[in-house]
Structures are given as C-alpha cells and as structure tokens.
Amino acid sequence: MLRVSKLTDYATVVMTCLVDGAGEVLSAQVLAERARLELPTVSKLLKQLAHAGLVLSTRGINGGYRLARDPAQITVADIVVAMEGPIGMTECSTRSGSCDHESHCGVRVNWQRINSAIADALASVTLAEMTKPAARRTGSIPVRVAVA
Amino acid sequence: MLRVSKLTDYATVVMTCLVDGAGEVLSAQVLAERARLELPTVSKLLKQLAHAGLVLSTRGINGGYRLARDPAQITVADIVVAMEGPIGMTECSTRSGSCDHESHCGVRVNWQRINSAIADALASVTLAEMTKPAARRTGSIPVRVAVA
DNA sequence: GCAAACAGTACAATTTTGGTCCTGTTTAGG
DNA sequence: CCTAAACAGGACCAAAATTGTACTGTTTGC
C-alpha cells in the first residue's frame, strides 16, 4: 500500500501537539493525552525523535520534550527519516550490495530518481504547515522529477 | 524505510522485460530467466499484473504474457497500485473509519495532500522511461504539491 | 489425449511492526 | 539526602505483513 508506519504517523501527530504547545516543555504523559495515544507508544517515538535531534528532552521532574527548532524548519521528510531511516523505495536504493541483480538491473537508476522525487515531496511540507489544516495556502510547491 | 515491496520491485523489472520483448508473447518461464528471478515468483506477480489489466495473458501451449498497452501509457504508479493497492501514506487515507482519531486528527488532511503528490510523482514516470536508464531526458516533470 | 502454460488458492517461514514493560539515571523540591 | 516524577535504553512478545513455494485445476495447440 506504500505507506509510512503507524509510529511515523503518530510521530507527526505528537509533533503537531508540540507545535501547539508553543515551545513549552511537555511531558510524554501530557503529549500522550493530547494526542490520545498510549503513553508507552508516545514515549517510544519521542525517544526516536530526540535521537534524531528533532526534539530536545529535559530529564528529571518537570522534564519533558520541546521542539529542537522552528516548526517551519522541520519537514515531514525529517520525521519520516527519523522514524524509518533513509527514504528508499527499493532495497537496493539504500543498501548497496543487498541485491544479487544489481549488475544487470536496468531499472535501478530510475528508481533512485523516483526516490529523490518523493523525498523532495516530503521535504516540501513543513511541520508548521501540518498544523494548519484549514488555511489553504495560495500557492503550491513545485517539485521537479528528473527522469531518465 | 518507506519502500515498495520486493514483489513490486520485481514487477517493474519483469515489465521492462516485456517491453524489451517488443510485443511478443513471452511465457512466465522465459520472463523468469530474463529477469533472473524464480519462476513461481514471476508467475505470481504476472497474475496480479494481469488481474490489474496491465498485461494480457494467453493460455494453453505457446501461451504467455504481453503488455496490455503501449509502454509510454503505463506508469510506475500503475504498477505500484496493481501490486500493492491504492497509494496511501497513512492508514486513514485509504480506509476511512479505521482510525479512532479521525474526528480530532489535525494532520489527516495534510497527509492526503502528500499522498496525491507522491502518486503524481509515481504517475509521472512511464514504463517506457524505465527501460532507458542511459538516455537522460532533457526536461523534467513538474509535480505540484498543494499543501494546506 | 497429451503436454505446456496460465488461474486460483493455499500455506509455511521469515521478517517487520506494534505495543508493552523493566531497570537505570537524572533532577526538583521538601 | 531522600523521594517522586520523568527521560534513557533495552528487552521482549504478539500480531501482522511479506516472501516464496506448492498444489490443483483449466485452457489450448498439436
């Protein structure tokens, strides 16, 4: 079905909650409530987001998480990469040598182009935009797909 | 990792073999050899492609498969959809009602926009282009991502 | 009627995902 | 300095999806 994992989906929701929090430090507990998700799940994905440097964590009592940078500087691609690793539509596009057919595969190069097109599409949407479902932006982002 | 399944990957390879076959009817056996894949696997994916109407099958001895239409009229999106079903980055974008949070989910609409951007990117590359890894096309295909 | 080749289904093994839990470590406050 | 809240880092297990294969039909040309 070509989809991101649930955890990635949840991550975008939690991130938007952090945007709504306006820079305040929010605990995983609070974020779980606001996102209406289970605490262990939210806790898990926040750790991954922190590891990727998208959120900053504060330990100890009154600790919690906050965005590492401006919502306009965080893209959906950042979140996807943080949760799922490098974007690659086929196995051979990220892990070289994992496919026996690499040497005689004619479609590999083109898949790599498709990859970057999709990465661009994901990178063209910022977290700030994700939090504004109603306000339709007047323009649109042109993504250029270079194909063989 | 945001990738298509191996079977989808294989499907593109087999499809390019059919393109190289220049309209000739090729058996699953022959296609398996040319794609250097196992026969049962190739057989399986060809059935799916036939079911989706991308290839036409001929039964009986001397039977086999051929493309249902011109390679320039078949896109990567067609193949992905044939193998994996409708393109939807999140569960809620294809199956409505599958998520408890639909009513109060602020990111849903934006994911749907990202979906169509990616579908566009996949639809902008034709099978004919996938068979020409060397010949770089002069232009590029602009894909417009409308974001909230 | 025989053999090649597709159709449809079913199935086992593996991998990935989803979700939970447990044991540290840090920190504010009494 | 002791406690409780909260993050860090694994470990773990159950469920689901993916992969790859096999089996039983049905069609068709010779």
Side-chain angles (χ1 to χ4, degrees):
Chain A
M1 213 213 292
L2 187 62
R3 60 187 176 83
V4 298
S5 74
K6 273 192 184 179
L7 222 52
T8 304
D9 192 358
Y10 293 162
T12 60
V13 177
V14 170
M15 288 294 271
T16 59
C17 290
L18 280 171
V19 174
D20 292 341
E24 234 181 309
V25 171
L26 300 175
S27 71
Q29 177 79 57
V30 169
L31 286 168
E33 282 162 15
R34 297 205 183 164
R36 311 207 195 186
L37 298 168
E38 296 306 315
L39 172 59
T41 304
V42 171
S43 200
K44 182 182 194 172
L45 66 89
L46 279 168
K47 281 175 218 171
Q48 276 188 257
L49 292 172
H51 206 77
L54 296 184
V55 300
L56 300 175
S57 65
T58 315
R59 296 179 70 152
I61 200 168
N62 295 333
Y65 298 89
R66 64 185 196 281
L67 292 180
R69 49 184 196 267
D70 193 87
Q73 302 303 316
I74 297 175
T75 70
V76 174
D78 290 329
I79 300 174
V80 171
V81 170
M83 301 304 296
E84 316 198 357
I87 293 169
M89 296 296 283
T90 56
E91 207 164 330
C92 59
S93 39
T94 45
R95 278 183 289 179
S96 179
S98 62
C99 176
D100 303 338
H101 311 285
E102 258 181 45
S103 55
H104 50 83
C105 178
V107 301
R108 184 153 162 265
V109 187
N110 288 302
W111 269 118
Q112 288 174 340
R113 294 220 175 82
I114 294 172
N115 278 346
S116 40
I118 287 177
D120 284 353
L122 291 177
S124 72
V125 183
T126 70
L127 185 57
E129 288 164 343
M130 289 294 275
T131 60
K132 296 166 193 162
R136 174 173 251 113
R137 204 170 59 189
T138 46
S140 60
I141 302 172
V143 178
R144 297 211 149 251
V145 188
V147 200
Chain B
M1 213 213 290
L2 186 61
R3 60 186 177 85
V4 296
S5 74
K6 275 192 184 179
L7 221 53
T8 304
D9 192 357
Y10 294 162
T12 60
V13 177
V14 170
M15 288 294 270
T16 59
C17 291
L18 280 171
V19 174
D20 292 340
E24 234 182 307
V25 171
L26 300 175
S27 71
Q29 177 78 58
V30 169
L31 286 168
E33 283 163 15
R34 297 204 182 165
R36 310 206 196 185
L37 298 168
E38 296 304 315
L39 172 58
T41 304
V42 171
S43 199
K44 183 182 192 172
L45 66 87
L46 279 168
K47 281 175 220 172
Q48 277 187 256
L49 292 173
H51 205 78
L54 296 184
V55 300
L56 300 175
S57 65
T58 315
R59 296 179 69 152
I61 199 168
N62 295 332
Y65 298 90
R66 65 186 195 281
L67 293 179
R69 49 183 197 268
D70 193 88
Q73 302 304 315
I74 298 176
T75 70
V76 174
D78 290 329
I79 300 174
V80 171
V81 169
M83 301 305 296
E84 316 199 356
I87 294 168
M89 297 296 283
T90 55
E91 207 164 330
C92 60
S93 37
T94 46
R95 279 184 287 179
S96 179
S98 60
C99 176
D100 302 339
H101 311 285
E102 258 181 46
S103 56
H104 49 83
C105 177
V107 300
R108 184 154 163 263
V109 188
N110 289 303
W111 269 119
Q112 289 173 340
R113 294 217 176 84
I114 294 172
N115 278 345
S116 39
I118 287 177
D120 285 352
L122 291 177
S124 71
V125 182
T126 70
L127 185 56
E129 288 163 343
M130 288 294 273
T131 60
K132 297 167 193 161
R136 173 172 253 114
R137 205 172 57 189
T138 46
S140 61
I141 302 173
V143 177
R144 297 212 147 251
V145 188
V147 200

